[in-house]
């Protein structure tokens, strides 16, 4: 079965650079979520989109922005990168069309290292 | 207050034994969902099992079962007949609300499970 696809899997950037992470949800899933997991931490919710509109926002820095496109894929743009942005970034997708949301499948994550 | 509490930072269990990973939660919503995820050292987040607040039966998925005690606000994960491949970090997570709005997951701090041969 198709899963959530994230690219790239690994990314190394220097401080003050920008990074773009991509997420391709499971086919027919209409909702995308982004999470950030720092080393040794639990995942923290950043932002979510439903039908290409932002539906919820968590502790996302102003330097970060995200959007969901017409094909439902999503991109997380990160500017002025800081050392503290080094983390595993997860995308998850789910579907509201099928009823109450009982599943949330995660991609394999993008490991961002800022040097 | 923490919404999800996992009180066991680490556990060591003998292979083939059953193991219970504790999770308590805090919410004032009547409708919510509880999830368990497995995160191996490779980093991916693997969905294991889900329990809805209105589900009367405890959820089961193969060797995984969820011991849901609503009055005590606990949702412990039980893994039967543990295997070496079960060694990983396990996260309990909660979604509050009906599932048509505020659907983000709030995670606990995780339990690192190590299976001993």
């Amino acid at each position: 079965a198709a899963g959530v696809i994230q690219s790239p899997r690994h990314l190394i950037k220097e401080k003050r650079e920008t990074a773009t992470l991509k997420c391709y949800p499971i086919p027919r899933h209409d909702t995308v979520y982004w999470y950030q997991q720092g080393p040794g931490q639990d995942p923290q919710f950043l932002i979510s989109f439903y039908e290409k509109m932002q539906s919820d926002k968590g502790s996302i820095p102003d330097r970060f922005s995200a959007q969901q496109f017409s094909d439902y894929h999503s991109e997380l743009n990160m500017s002025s990168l800081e050392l503290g942005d080094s983390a595993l970034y997860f995308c998850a997708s789910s579907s509201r069309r099928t009823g109450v949301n009982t599943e949330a499948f995660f991609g394999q994550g993008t490991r961002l290292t800022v040097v | 207050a923490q919404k999800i509490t996992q009180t066991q930072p680490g556990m060591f269990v003998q292979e083939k034994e059953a193991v219970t990973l504790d999770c308590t939660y805090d919410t004032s919503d009547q409708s919510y969902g509880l999830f368990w995820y497995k995160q191996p050292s490779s980093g991916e987040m693997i969905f294991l099992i889900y329990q809805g607040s209105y589900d009367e039966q405890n959820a089961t998925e193969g060797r995984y079962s969820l011991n849901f005690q609503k009055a005590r606000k606990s949702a412990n994960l039980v893994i039967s007949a543990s295997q070496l491949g079960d060694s990983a970090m396990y996260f309990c997570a909660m979604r509050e609300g009906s599932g048509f709005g505020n659907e983000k997951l709030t995670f606990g701090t995780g339990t690192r499970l190590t299976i001993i041969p």
Side-chain angles (χ1 to χ4, degrees), chain B residues 28-80:
Chain B
S28 56
D29 283 1
Q30 295 299 309
S31 178
Y32 51 90
L34 296 155
F35 298 75
W36 276 93
Y37 288 88
K38 172 184 178 182
Q39 187 175 42
S41 56
S42 53
E44 70 258 44
M45 195 69 77
I46 302 168
F47 168 74
L48 295 178
I49 197 166
Y50 167 84
Q51 179 86 41
S53 58
Y54 294 120
D55 295 341
E56 294 185 354
Q57 302 279 346
N58 284 346
T60 60
E61 289 286 348
R63 293 187 299 115
Y64 305 108
S65 61
L66 201 151
N67 184 3
F68 182 48
Q69 298 188 44
K70 195 170 182 177
R72 300 177 65 177
K73 292 190 174 179
S74 77
N76 298 339
L77 176 71
V78 180
I79 306 174
S80 63

Side-chain angles (χ1 to χ4, degrees), chain A residues 31 33 35 37 41-43 45 56 88 90 94 96 99-108 111, chain B residues 35 37 39 41-45 47 50 91 95 98-105 107-110:
Chain A
T31 307
Y33 317 79
Y35 293 84
Q37 186 180 23
Q41 305 292 314
D42 52 288
F45 171 73
D56 197 3
L88 192 52
F90 285 106
S94 64
R96 295 192 194 184
V100 176
N101 182 2
T102 61
E103 299 171 329
F105 293 101
F106 283 73
Q108 292 186 296
R111 190 172 296 278
Chain B
F35 298 75
Y37 288 88
Q39 187 175 42
S41 56
S42 53
E44 70 258 44
M45 195 69 77
F47 168 74
Y50 167 84
F91 288 99
R95 168 188 54 74
S98 64
F100 287 99
N102 183 15
E103 299 170 352
K104 65 177 182 287
L105 296 178
F107 287 80
T109 51

